[in-house]
Amino acid sequence: MLVMKKVIIINGPNLNLLGTREKDIYGMETLEEIAKKVNAEAQKHNIDVSFIQTNHEGEIIDKIHEAKGNFDVIIINPAAYTHYSIAIRDAIKAVEIPTIEIHLSNVHAREEFRSKSVIAPVCVGQISGFGSFSYILAINAAASI
Ligand code: DQA
């Protein structure tokens, strides 16, 4: 029997505002629209996706802890926390679940503070700059892990 891979996609602060927020940088799609595309892609790969968003650092950490034993891969867009949350980094390291960091924008082509990720070193890899397609690429990466 083919076993379904379980993936949790965690979206950090302000990503609930996609579709209205800095459209020139983040595009016109809402997070809900991205979630629909992600689900369609996940089905092709026999992946069961849980897609969540929170504006709270502690909640992200709780979700990472709860992923232990429940999910095979974490995909995370930590948003601004990418650049300074040692607590999220430590949580990812602690649970030992393969994690993929993603960004809509190319964080390396923007303000200098965005090119530093404290999360990336504890991840399998980082996908950045492809808009909502970063999420689709991440599903494909998760399928291959
Ligand atoms: C982001 C990039 C971050 O620097 C920023 O704080 C975000 C979104 C992205 O997806 O491009 O909120 O993670």
Side-chain angles (χ1 to χ4, degrees):
M1 201 186 77
L2 198 57
V3 181
M4 261 201 154
K5 198 175 254 185
K6 291 193 77 187
V7 174
I8 183 165
I9 304 185
I10 303 173
N11 292 282
N14 301 307
L15 293 170
N16 54 313
L17 299 181
L18 287 181
T20 56
R21 172 194 185 203
E22 297 182 89
K23 287 184 263 190
D24 49 324
I25 296 173
Y26 299 118
M28 309 283 280
E29 283 170 287
T30 64
L31 195 61
E32 212 181 335
E33 286 164 346
I34 295 174
K36 276 192 191 141
K37 281 188 179 175
V38 162
N39 275 321
E41 185 69 17
Q43 274 185 10
K44 292 185 207 161
H45 297 278
N46 201 38
I47 290 175
D48 181 46
V49 170
S50 172
F51 194 96
I52 61 154
Q53 190 275 331
T54 171
N55 292 319
H56 306 282
E57 187 180 24
E59 207 177 325
I60 293 176
I61 293 163
D62 288 344
K63 292 293 176 192
I64 293 168
H65 292 176
E66 287 161 22
K68 183 102 188 154
N70 292 313
F71 291 96
D72 304 300
V73 178
I74 297 171
I75 295 172
I76 186 166
N77 183 346
Y81 287 135
T82 305
H83 315 298
Y84 67 93
S85 178
I86 307 297
I88 293 175
R89 175 195 171 118
D90 286 352
I92 293 168
K93 182 101 176 134
V95 296
E96 295 177 323
I97 300 170
T99 299
I100 302 162
E101 179 186 315
I102 58 169
H103 300 284
L104 295 149
S105 64
N106 179 354
V107 287
H108 303 286
R110 300 179 62 194
E111 301 96 327
E112 208 182 321
F113 68 85
R114 290 188 206 276
S115 65
K116 166 88 185 160
S117 170
V118 299
I119 309 294
V122 295
C123 291
V124 181
Q126 183 196 60
I127 298 167
S128 173
F130 298 94
S132 63
F133 196 60
S134 290
Y135 287 75
I136 303 300
L137 290 170
I139 288 291
N140 281 268
S144 76
I145 287 173

